[in-house]
């Protein structure tokens, strides 16, 4: 269980904000206050006035406030807030017994993009050198720009609540699929030092993976949420005041949305504004009273386009009789979804294949070639630049903060030389000497990024594998193409949820960059850089321990195997995080993947040998990329029950709901494996490296290569009897090449392999420096010292996807 937080729960009156509140309580947090934003009265809105936040101090005051407001009830159709039914909000204080604070909405949607940064409000440009801190401070002092985004109405509301409740340290919201809403609440929460909580984020895709599951869970907990607005061609006035958590109503909504929505778009939940709800009752553990609205006090207001909403005239709270309250538990999604639970079962039901075994499922039996033929015919497009910045310690007393500051200044200099901005950085790899330096380095590093959506990031420590005078290395990849409004997209979730870990530092889960178009590439193609994934339980942000996860109860074997089982769970949980980000970004294929392992000497408890861990990870990676069998596809399609009425009245009409929101990975339809043997499984090249430490003491960190979005992917591979293998992934205008050198303990043998690979392309020295990344076994005398590999990571050991030891892995862009 995570540490208990003191939560301010934002409520709109709708189902999602209350259900999220229930999950806050179930996760051990205390809700100390309710917060709500409502439309300013017409006179005040016209004058631009901003009445002070107010809280009804008693039920009588709540009722009088409600009655006064009901005459002016309106629906703002706000981008950010639900406003219909807002006159009922004051009654929640009495119904729940939790203090309620309200604030009128001021302004409008000035920023309409999915991402939000207060630094951009009211201004069209700002020098990159100025930070958000000063602007945020101006905001907190109430010095606003003339044109204010409606999001900023949250600030005075939350400041007032925090003054009344000094222990408040978290903010809850009911965001499900709306990035627009989530990023704005996160922006305000983090500026005010509050931990954002969005327990419903991506809820429909979590186990059991059905859109309707959220409403079914609300029904199970006893939530009564009435539909107070309809704004979709599939819903009419007959849905008004129906309980959305009623089974029959759910089925009606689901059937209606099949005609006008896409499976997976959240229409059955009202995520696109199809309908809005008002909660009038819930479990007795939360609702001490229920809100009653008589039929005579509900008036239908009809708007254009088939939209209609209910104007509430009078309401009252009926307190429930005192009785023993039974705590009803909300269902929480399983830690591992079915796909990964199945992989875990497969790993437990068979012994890990030994290196070089013929049955190794990840082995690519590619044609054996004597020269790197796949290399020929491509040129460097320079669309992505790769830089390495090394901070050398000037003397023994120089702090890591000073070294980090020097590194950041060097990055600023490189950006200036290339006429680029920090927003052009798409990914970084931070290599520390010690994880104890992380906090100090992170603080300095974060000051570089003052705009929303910082680059993705991988962080590791390499200890004594680094040269003595170096405590920090930063590898960067930057976009060198002219920016456009659609050229860069990001996934930056900073809220706790059940989906994937929140990014609590200056890095995004993923950054997507559109590649320059070419004459031969007709389909727009993008590449995605993904942050390293460690096995944190998303809603607690803690590592899963064998004694704290229900998964291990029935899966742990005899004593002595517990550590192996714990490693498997951590490996699969972090791989699941990677997959969920991959699906959210619509990635069809990953160019490669590396898994980082900590040194066995960095932990106080006994650990599995790194070779055994690498074999477990390789099998998990292989199982993730197994193509579905014909039987699986037939089972997945299933048979839907026929609706004769629908067939009669909608014959020949398009059923939009029949389309699915496909986010499968891998997307085999776009992958061309013709250059590989037909009888083998194709999977992105995979290898494991041992370093010193990983963040939070994790047992594994997965770091994918680039993800491919759009267009087709062509795979090829060649293997030389001289001990090297080349894998290539071509898409759009790019070709990613990965070279693996078989292990050799002597430098001359490795140099011979390198010469064999690079001599047709201009020589070893010229090519090594052009690598975008490299993983080097520093136990081989002279290899690290001689190597001029770009983006090099020092490793204690490296293993390929078959569990064989490797001397080095070298990656190239556009070779």
């Amino acid at each position: 269980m995570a540490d208990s937080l003191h939560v301010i729960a934002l409520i709109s009156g709708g189902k999602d904000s209350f259900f999220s509140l229930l999950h806050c309580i179930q996760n051990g947090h205390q809700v100390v206050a309710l917060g709500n934003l409502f439309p300013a009265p017409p006179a005040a809105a016209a004058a631009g006035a901003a009445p002070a936040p107010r809280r009804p101090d008693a039920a009588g005051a709540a009722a009088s406030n409600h009655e006064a407001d009901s005459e002016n009830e309106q629906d703002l159709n706000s981008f950010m807030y639900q406003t219909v039914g807002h006159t009922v909000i004051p009654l929640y204080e009495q119904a729940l017994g939790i203090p309620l604070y309200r604030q009128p909405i001021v302004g409008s949607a000035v920023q309409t993009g999915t991402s939000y940064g207060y630094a951009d409000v009211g201004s069209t440009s700002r020098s990159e050198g100025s930070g958000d801190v000063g602007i945020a401070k101006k905001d907190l002092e109430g010095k606003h720009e003339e044109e204010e985004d409606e999001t900023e109405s949250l600030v005075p509301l939350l400041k007032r609540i925090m003054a009344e409740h000094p222990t408040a340290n978290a903010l809850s919201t009911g965001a499900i699929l709306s990035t627009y809403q989530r990023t704005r609440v996160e922006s305000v929460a983090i500026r005010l030092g509050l931990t954002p909580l969005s327990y419903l984020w991506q809820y429909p895709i979590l186990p059991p993976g059905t859109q309707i599951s959220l409403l079914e869970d609300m029904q199970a907990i006893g939530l009564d949420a009435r539909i107070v607005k309809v704004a979709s061609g599939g819903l009419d006035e007959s849905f008004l005041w129906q309980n959305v958590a009623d089974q029959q109503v759910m089925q009606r909504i689901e059937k209606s949305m099949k005609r006008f929505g896409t499976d997976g778009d959240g229409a059955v939940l009202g995520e696109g504004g199809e309908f809005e709800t008002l909660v009038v009752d819930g479990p007795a553990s939360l609702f001490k009273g229920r809100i009653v609205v008589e039929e005579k006090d509900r008036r239908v207001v009809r708007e254009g386009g088939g939209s209609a909403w209910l104007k509430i005239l009078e309401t009252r709270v009926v307190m429930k009789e005192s009785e023993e309250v039974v705590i009803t538990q909300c269902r929480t999604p399983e830690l591992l979804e079915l796909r990964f639970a199945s992989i875990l079962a497969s790993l437990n039901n068979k012994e890990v294949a030994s290196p070089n075994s013929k049955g190794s499922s990840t082995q690519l039996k590619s044609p054996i070639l004597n020269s790197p033929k796949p290399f020929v015919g491509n040129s460097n497009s320079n669309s992505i630049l790769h830089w390495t910045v090394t901070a050398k310690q000037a003397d023994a007393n120089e702090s890591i903060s000073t070294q980090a500051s020097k590194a950041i200044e060097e990055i600023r200099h490189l950006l200036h030389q290339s006429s680029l901005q920090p927003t052009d950085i798409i990914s970084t790899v931070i290599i520390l000497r010690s994880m104890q330096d992380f906090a100090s380095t992170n603080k300095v590093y974060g000051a570089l990024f003052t705009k929303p959506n910082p680059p993705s990031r991988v962080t590791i420590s390499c200890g004594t594998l680094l040269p003595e005078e170096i405590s920090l290395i930063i590898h960067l990849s930057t976009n060198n193409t002219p920016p456009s409004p659609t050229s860069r997209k990001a996934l930056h979730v900073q809220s706790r949820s059940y989906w994937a870990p929140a990014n609590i530092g200056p890095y995004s889960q993923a950054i997507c960059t559109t590649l320059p178009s070419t004459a031969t590439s007709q389909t727009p193609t993008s590449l995605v850089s993904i942050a390293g994934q460690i096995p944190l339980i998303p809603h607690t942000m803690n590592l899963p321990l064998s004694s704290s996860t229900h998964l291990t109860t029935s899966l742990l074997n005899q004593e002595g195997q517990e550590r192996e089982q714990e490693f498997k769970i951590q490996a699969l949980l972090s791989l699941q995080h990677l997959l969920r980000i991959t699906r959210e970004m619509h990635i069809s294929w990953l160019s490669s993947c590396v898994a980082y392992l900590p040194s066995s000497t960095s932990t106080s408890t006994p650990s599995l040998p790194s070779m055994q861990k690498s074999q477990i990870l390789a099998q998990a990676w292989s199982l993730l990329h197994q193509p579905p069998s014909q039987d699986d596809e037939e089972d997945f399609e299933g048979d839907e029950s026929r609706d004769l009425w629908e067939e009669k009245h909608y014959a020949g009409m398009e059923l939009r709901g029949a389309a699915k929101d496909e986010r499968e990975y891998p997307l085999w339809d776009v992958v061309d494996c013709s250059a590989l043997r037909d009888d083998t499984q194709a999977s992105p090249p995979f290898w494991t490296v041992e370093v010193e430490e990983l963040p939070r003491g994790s047992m594994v960190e997965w770091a994918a290569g680039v993800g491919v979005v759009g267009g087709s992917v062509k795979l090829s591979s060649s293997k030389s009897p001289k001990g090297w293998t080349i894998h290539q992934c071509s898409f759009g205008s790019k070709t990613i090449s990965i070279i693996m050198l078989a292990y050799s303990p002597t430098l001359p043998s490795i140099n011979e392999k390198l010469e064999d690979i690079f001599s047709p392309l201009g020589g070893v020295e010229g090519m090594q420096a052009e690598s975008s990344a490299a993983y080097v076994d520093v136990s081989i005398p002279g290899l690290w010292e001689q190597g001029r590999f770009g983006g090099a990571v020092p490793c204690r050991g490296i293993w390929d996807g078959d569990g064989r030891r490797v001397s080095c892995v070298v990656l190239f862009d556009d070779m």
Side-chain angles (χ1 to χ4, degrees), residues 386-400:
H386 301 282
W387 298 333
T388 293
V389 173
T390 302
K392 293 187 177 181
Q393 191 174 24
D395 57 67
N397 296 321
E398 188 176 54
S399 68
I400 187 63

Side-chain angles (χ1 to χ4, degrees), residues 447-524:
L448 179 63
F449 306 104
T450 60
K451 297 279 189 175
N453 305 324
S456 63
R457 184 178 74 184
V458 173
T459 303
I460 58 173
S461 82
C462 289
T464 56
L465 301 177
L466 287 173
E468 186 175 352
E469 73 280 6
I470 295 175
S471 296
L472 173 65
I473 297 175
I474 303 178
H475 299 309
L476 307 96
S477 296
T478 59
N479 182 20
N480 194 36
T481 58
S484 68
T486 59
S487 64
R488 188 178 189 271
K489 298 179 181 179
L491 178 65
H492 190 199
V493 180
Q494 301 176 82
S495 300
R496 290 191 192 179
S497 67
Y498 298 109
W499 173 69
N503 279 13
I504 55 177
Y507 69 103
S508 298
Q509 279 94 351
I511 298 292
C512 179
T513 306
T514 303
L515 294 175
S517 59
T518 65
T520 58
S521 178
Q522 301 298 322
T523 304

Side-chain angles (χ1 to χ4, degrees), residues 360-660:
S360 177
S361 59
T362 58
Q363 188 173 359
L364 285 176
K365 301 173 183 176
S366 306
I368 296 180
L369 305 175
N370 291 322
S371 61
K373 290 184 179 179
F375 256 175
V376 179
N378 293 296
S379 60
N380 196 335
S381 67
N382 291 321
S383 61
I384 303 296
L385 300 179
H386 301 282
W387 298 333
T388 293
V389 173
T390 302
K392 293 187 177 181
Q393 191 174 24
D395 57 67
N397 296 321
E398 188 176 54
S399 68
I400 187 63
S401 295
T402 301
Q403 296 174 59
S405 296
K406 290 180 179 178
I408 297 305
E409 284 307 309
E410 176 63 20
I411 292 172
R412 292 187 190 276
H413 177 67
L414 290 170
L415 290 169
H416 179 72
Q417 279 188 323
S418 302
S419 300
L420 298 173
Q421 301 288 346
T423 50
D424 294 309
I425 302 173
I426 56 178
S427 67
T428 65
V429 176
I430 297 180
I431 305 174
L432 303 168
R433 175 173 292 276
S434 171
M435 272 298 165
Q436 293 181 350
D437 296 334
F438 175 76
S440 299
T441 302
N442 196 49
K443 183 177 181 180
V444 177
Y445 172 85
L448 179 63
F449 306 104
T450 60
K451 297 279 189 175
N453 305 324
S456 63
R457 184 178 74 184
V458 173
T459 303
I460 58 173
S461 82
C462 289
T464 56
L465 301 177
L466 287 173
E468 186 175 352
E469 73 280 6
I470 295 175
S471 296
L472 173 65
I473 297 175
I474 303 178
H475 299 309
L476 307 96
S477 296
T478 59
N479 182 20
N480 194 36
T481 58
S484 68
T486 59
S487 64
R488 188 178 189 271
K489 298 179 181 179
L491 178 65
H492 190 199
V493 180
Q494 301 176 82
S495 300
R496 290 191 192 179
S497 67
Y498 298 109
W499 173 69
N503 279 13
I504 55 177
Y507 69 103
S508 298
Q509 279 94 351
I511 298 292
C512 179
T513 306
T514 303
L515 294 175
S517 59
T518 65
T520 58
S521 178
Q522 301 298 322
T523 304
T525 305
S526 301
L527 61 83
V528 181
S529 299
I530 303 176
Q533 296 301 309
I534 60 175
L536 296 177
I537 298 174
H539 60 282
T540 67
M541 294 297 287
N542 293 327
L543 292 170
L545 301 176
S546 58
S547 59
S548 64
T549 169
H550 64 279
L551 281 172
T552 61
T553 303
S554 60
L555 294 169
L556 287 177
N557 300 319
Q558 299 297 321
E559 185 177 356
Q561 294 184 332
E562 181 173 339
R563 196 66 175 169
E564 178 181 337
Q565 191 68 15
E566 186 177 357
F567 174 76
K568 290 177 181 176
I569 290 171
Q570 288 206 19
L572 291 177
L573 180 59
S574 47
L575 183 56
Q576 178 176 271
H577 299 334
L578 175 61
L579 180 71
R580 286 181 174 175
I581 294 169
T582 298
R583 291 191 301 219
E584 180 64 17
M585 298 303 290
H586 298 272
I587 292 171
S588 57
W589 190 257
L590 293 169
S591 64
S592 63
C593 188
V594 57
Y596 292 95
L597 296 174
S599 168
S600 57
T601 61
S602 66
T603 60
S604 58
T605 56
S607 178
L608 301 175
S610 292
M611 179 178 289
Q612 184 179 352
K613 292 181 192 175
S614 71
Q615 292 163 5
I616 293 172
L617 296 171
Q619 286 199 348
W621 184 250
S622 173
L623 290 168
L624 180 66
H625 290 86
Q626 280 188 342
S629 65
Q630 188 67 29
D631 292 339
D632 292 337
E633 292 179 355
E634 291 175 357
D635 290 342
F636 179 77
E637 290 174 2
D639 293 323
E640 289 192 13
S641 58
R642 296 177 62 190
D643 187 322
L644 299 179
W645 186 91
E646 184 172 300
E647 290 179 9
K648 176 181 178 181
H649 293 276
Y650 287 87
M653 296 181 63
E654 176 190 15
L655 297 184
R656 292 174 57 193
K660 288 187 176 294

Side-chain angles (χ1 to χ4, degrees), residues 213-405:
S213 65
L214 178 61
L215 300 181
E216 292 172 338
D217 289 344
M218 291 178 179
Q219 178 191 37
I221 201 74
L223 204 65
D224 189 344
R226 301 304 175 109
I227 298 175
V228 290
K229 181 179 180 178
V230 292
S232 167
L235 305 178
D236 56 27
E237 291 180 22
S238 67
F239 283 89
L240 292 175
W241 207 243
Q242 298 297 304
N243 180 9
V244 76
D246 176 82
Q247 192 65 43
Q248 288 186 340
V249 177
M250 285 185 236
Q251 291 173 353
R252 286 185 64 200
I253 292 174
E254 191 172 31
K255 183 172 292 187
S256 297
M257 290 300 99
K258 280 186 177 182
R259 305 187 188 105
F260 296 93
T262 297
D263 184 22
D265 64 359
V268 298
L269 305 175
E271 277 297 281
E274 293 82 3
F275 64 89
E276 294 180 8
T277 59
L278 185 71
V279 173
V280 295
D281 199 2
S285 57
L286 178 63
F287 279 80
K288 310 300 186 292
R290 59 185 178 88
I291 295 173
V292 177
V293 182
E294 303 291 350
E295 184 176 357
K296 64 182 179 63
D297 294 318
R298 304 192 298 266
R299 182 182 303 167
V300 177
V301 179
R302 298 174 180 85
E303 296 181 345
S307 176
W309 55 280
L310 286 177
K311 182 174 183 178
I312 308 298
L313 301 179
E314 292 187 11
T315 65
R316 69 182 190 278
V317 176
V318 176
M319 301 305 294
K320 299 177 181 179
E321 295 182 5
S322 298
E323 56 185 33
E324 184 179 353
V325 175
V326 178
I327 303 298
T328 306
Q329 294 289 311
C330 301
R331 183 192 67 84
T332 57
E334 294 290 334
L335 185 61
L336 292 183
E337 60 188 61
L338 180 59
R339 185 174 185 178
F340 288 90
S342 298
I343 293 176
L344 179 59
S346 296
L347 293 177
N348 287 332
N349 290 336
K350 62 181 178 181
E351 294 184 3
V352 175
S354 60
N356 308 320
S357 65
K358 293 182 179 180
S360 177
S361 59
T362 58
Q363 188 173 359
L364 285 176
K365 301 173 183 176
S366 306
I368 296 180
L369 305 175
N370 291 322
S371 61
K373 290 184 179 179
F375 256 175
V376 179
N378 293 296
S379 60
N380 196 335
S381 67
N382 291 321
S383 61
I384 303 296
L385 300 179
H386 301 282
W387 298 333
T388 293
V389 173
T390 302
K392 293 187 177 181
Q393 191 174 24
D395 57 67
N397 296 321
E398 188 176 54
S399 68
I400 187 63
S401 295
T402 301
Q403 296 174 59
S405 296

